[in-house]
Amino acid sequence: MQYIINAPEKINHTVALPASKSISNRALAINYLSDSDTYPENLSKCDDTDVMVDALGSMPYEINIKAAGTAMRFTTAILSVTEGEHVITGTERMRHRPIGVLVEALRKLGADIEYVEAEGFPPLRVRGRKLRGGRLDIPGNVSSQFISAILMIGPMMSDGLTLHMTGHVMSKPYIDLTICTMREYGSDVDWTNGSTIRVEPRGYAPTSFVIENDWSAASYWYEIVSLLGKKYPKADLKAVMPGLKDGSRQGDSAVRYIFRMLGVKTEFADKSKPLVPTDVTLSPQHRGLPRLDFDFSGQPDLAQTIVVTTALLNVPFRFTGLETLRIKETDRIAALKAEMRKLGFVLDDSVEGTLSWNGERCEPMAEPAIDTYEDHRMAMAFAPAAIMFPGLRINNPMVVTKSYPEFWNELRAAGFDITEA
């Protein structure tokens, strides 16, 4: 399938954002370990959350997590402390995403896990049992999902868990999000210093839990307002997004600070209660930016959105902290280079973990069609580029169901013309 996208000249739209996938999957994992008989409220309705609901709801012998990397990591940890034997597998791409760091860490804590096929990759056979726990050293530059998976089962270990991260700690906001969600369910967990977290062996208590809407999904609406504001500086533009917190623990809430530099003003309807969801209104504020340098180690999922936006605003950039992008749903750095070239932008990834654009251009394709690489964020980050490239085509657009199933319907409701080729 291929979509052809044409953008409106202005928008005035209230956006139905999805619930946070990151919080949903953490809450589901912890909720299961708490032996609750109810689900958290406002669960994300997307592929990644659906597979966790199915897995934890029925616990079949073979669990197919499909393309959900978060679910693969969290469920592997849960199975290691859940009585019984299970095999956990996924799509072809998932079977090529490395999981050895997590498996070896869990084994050090006493887990019984073996590789069914290739060493270091799913599928896995897990025989659950009570883990003793104790101290574990793990590199801080691995995926925060590995660290979060281990932390969440810490309260179930007889000696608790002292998790020490060596070197630079990547994606720390996601680790903090995990800690905050654990606390909501009664866990005694905290940083003891800048690199060590202590989890006491006190288990979890069932609780009512309401999930905030998704700041990652909000990033695409920031991109739309930024690009429309650039192309139509006199247009009356506004996007309202309910259900977001000023004091959000989601790492991607940093999007509002980044886009302040890229011409978007953020207004909260009620700033007096930062931990209560409220309406957020986006509007253009015109400013010129000569260059943007940013470290994405705390917000890697925003990288694709910001790369596309800054290039289309003609703002040179140097983005660091992108090491984990190589092992996401696709190699996101390679994918960004290939697809931005179709639009006439030559990106440089010669420094590991870094993606730069110094203003170098090439001839854009006459009718560019963006490949999505089975990656939902490629589709959503490039769709707003239709503002600058009318008639832009997106291949395999339904990959958005992984995190934002209503994305295309929301664009249509905002005035985008989207037709199937």
Side-chain angles (χ1 to χ4, degrees), residues 226-379:
S226 177
L227 295 178
L228 281 175
K230 172 72 172 180
K231 188 170 183 180
Y232 305 107
K234 295 183 180 180
D236 182 20
L237 306 174
K238 184 172 74 171
V240 180
M241 302 182 296
L244 295 172
K245 297 179 183 178
D246 187 15
S248 177
R249 289 289 186 174
Q250 294 181 56
D252 286 356
S253 64
V255 68
R256 65 195 203 238
Y257 305 119
I258 302 171
F259 270 93
R260 181 189 300 166
M261 298 180 284
L262 297 174
V264 181
K265 181 181 180 180
T266 303
E267 294 181 279
F268 289 85
D270 185 358
K271 295 200 66 158
S272 66
K273 299 175 182 178
L275 298 182
V276 176
T278 188
D279 288 358
V280 172
T281 300
L282 308 183
S283 57
Q285 54 179 13
H286 303 295
R287 59 175 57 186
L289 187 70
R291 178 182 177 84
L292 180 62
D293 292 350
F294 193 81
D295 179 358
F296 280 93
S297 59
Q299 300 84 21
D301 283 345
L302 292 181
Q304 288 144 296
T305 308
I306 308 301
V307 165
V308 177
T309 305
T310 47
L312 294 186
L313 293 176
N314 203 34
V315 175
F317 61 79
R318 183 176 186 271
F319 297 151
T320 57
L322 304 179
E323 289 84 356
T324 61
L325 263 62
R326 295 284 190 190
I327 56 169
K328 294 286 189 176
E329 284 79 349
T330 186
D331 180 339
R332 287 178 170 172
I333 290 179
L336 280 167
K337 283 188 65 181
E339 302 314 303
M340 289 302 294
R341 179 173 282 273
K342 293 178 181 179
L343 303 183
F345 301 90
V346 181
L347 307 187
D348 176 21
D349 67 337
S350 57
V351 177
E352 183 60 32
T354 300
L355 195 59
S356 304
W357 181 60
N358 64 6
E360 183 180 354
R361 302 293 296 268
C362 62
E363 185 68 26
M365 292 179 63
E367 293 186 350
I370 302 300
D371 290 317
T372 51
Y373 303 84
E374 299 184 4
D375 184 347
H376 54 136
R377 301 203 187 279
M378 287 297 291

Side-chain angles (χ1 to χ4, degrees), residues 166-199:
T166 59
H168 177 61
V169 180
M170 297 284 290
S171 303
K172 195 170 182 179
Y174 286 97
I175 300 172
D176 286 334
L177 180 63
T178 301
I179 291 173
C180 288
T181 311
M182 292 170 66
R183 286 175 180 159
E184 290 282 342
Y185 281 84
S187 174
D188 185 354
V189 52
D190 207 351
W191 293 89
T192 60
N193 57 47
S195 59
T196 305
I197 301 169
R198 174 61 190 171
V199 186

Side-chain angles (χ1 to χ4, degrees), residues 11-323:
I11 62 169
N12 186 341
H13 181 58
T14 298
V15 182
L17 287 177
S20 167
K21 177 170 68 76
S22 296
I23 300 177
S24 291
N25 286 0
R26 284 162 172 78
L28 275 172
I30 297 168
N31 193 71
Y32 175 83
L33 293 170
S34 76
D35 288 328
S36 174
D37 57 4
T38 61
Y39 283 116
E41 297 179 41
N42 194 37
L43 273 175
S44 175
K45 297 177 178 64
C46 68
D47 294 348
D48 278 18
T49 300
D50 288 346
V51 295
M52 278 202 72
V53 170
D54 290 345
L56 300 179
S58 59
M59 276 292 181
Y61 171 72
E62 181 170 298
I63 297 172
N64 187 344
I65 224 70
K66 300 181 181 177
T70 307
M72 170 62 73
R73 291 148 182 180
F74 291 1
T75 306
T76 295
I78 290 169
L79 292 177
S80 72
V81 295
T82 300
E83 185 177 346
E85 178 178 318
H86 298 84
V87 170
I88 183 167
T89 187
T91 61
E92 180 68 20
R93 169 64 181 169
M94 182 60 65
R95 293 196 295 274
H96 288 86
R97 294 181 69 177
I99 198 168
V101 171
L102 177 61
V103 170
E104 292 311 306
L106 291 171
R107 283 174 172 174
K108 288 177 182 177
L109 295 168
D112 183 356
I113 306 174
E114 64 180 76
Y115 298 108
V116 176
E117 296 176 5
E119 189 81 7
F121 300 89
L124 308 172
R125 180 173 288 106
V126 187
R127 300 177 182 88
R129 59 191 184 190
K130 184 71 174 181
L131 302 185
R132 183 171 180 178
R135 180 184 170 95
L136 175 68
D137 292 346
I138 189 169
N141 63 354
V142 300
S143 169
S144 64
Q145 293 175 10
F146 293 164
I147 293 168
S148 291
I150 296 164
L151 283 175
M152 286 189 291
I153 62 171
M156 317 307 293
M157 301 177 189
S158 56
D159 290 346
L161 174 68
T162 300
L163 185 64
H164 174 68
M165 288 158 281
T166 59
H168 177 61
V169 180
M170 297 284 290
S171 303
K172 195 170 182 179
Y174 286 97
I175 300 172
D176 286 334
L177 180 63
T178 301
I179 291 173
C180 288
T181 311
M182 292 170 66
R183 286 175 180 159
E184 290 282 342
Y185 281 84
S187 174
D188 185 354
V189 52
D190 207 351
W191 293 89
T192 60
N193 57 47
S195 59
T196 305
I197 301 169
R198 174 61 190 171
V199 186
E200 298 298 332
R202 298 180 185 174
Y204 292 109
T207 189
S208 59
F209 188 87
V210 181
I211 293 159
E212 179 190 4
N213 282 347
D214 188 27
W215 275 101
S216 307
S219 73
Y220 310 114
W221 294 95
Y222 274 92
E223 181 181 1
I224 288 166
V225 171
S226 177
L227 295 178
L228 281 175
K230 172 72 172 180
K231 188 170 183 180
Y232 305 107
K234 295 183 180 180
D236 182 20
L237 306 174
K238 184 172 74 171
V240 180
M241 302 182 296
L244 295 172
K245 297 179 183 178
D246 187 15
S248 177
R249 289 289 186 174
Q250 294 181 56
D252 286 356
S253 64
V255 68
R256 65 195 203 238
Y257 305 119
I258 302 171
F259 270 93
R260 181 189 300 166
M261 298 180 284
L262 297 174
V264 181
K265 181 181 180 180
T266 303
E267 294 181 279
F268 289 85
D270 185 358
K271 295 200 66 158
S272 66
K273 299 175 182 178
L275 298 182
V276 176
T278 188
D279 288 358
V280 172
T281 300
L282 308 183
S283 57
Q285 54 179 13
H286 303 295
R287 59 175 57 186
L289 187 70
R291 178 182 177 84
L292 180 62
D293 292 350
F294 193 81
D295 179 358
F296 280 93
S297 59
Q299 300 84 21
D301 283 345
L302 292 181
Q304 288 144 296
T305 308
I306 308 301
V307 165
V308 177
T309 305
T310 47
L312 294 186
L313 293 176
N314 203 34
V315 175
F317 61 79
R318 183 176 186 271
F319 297 151
T320 57
L322 304 179
E323 289 84 356

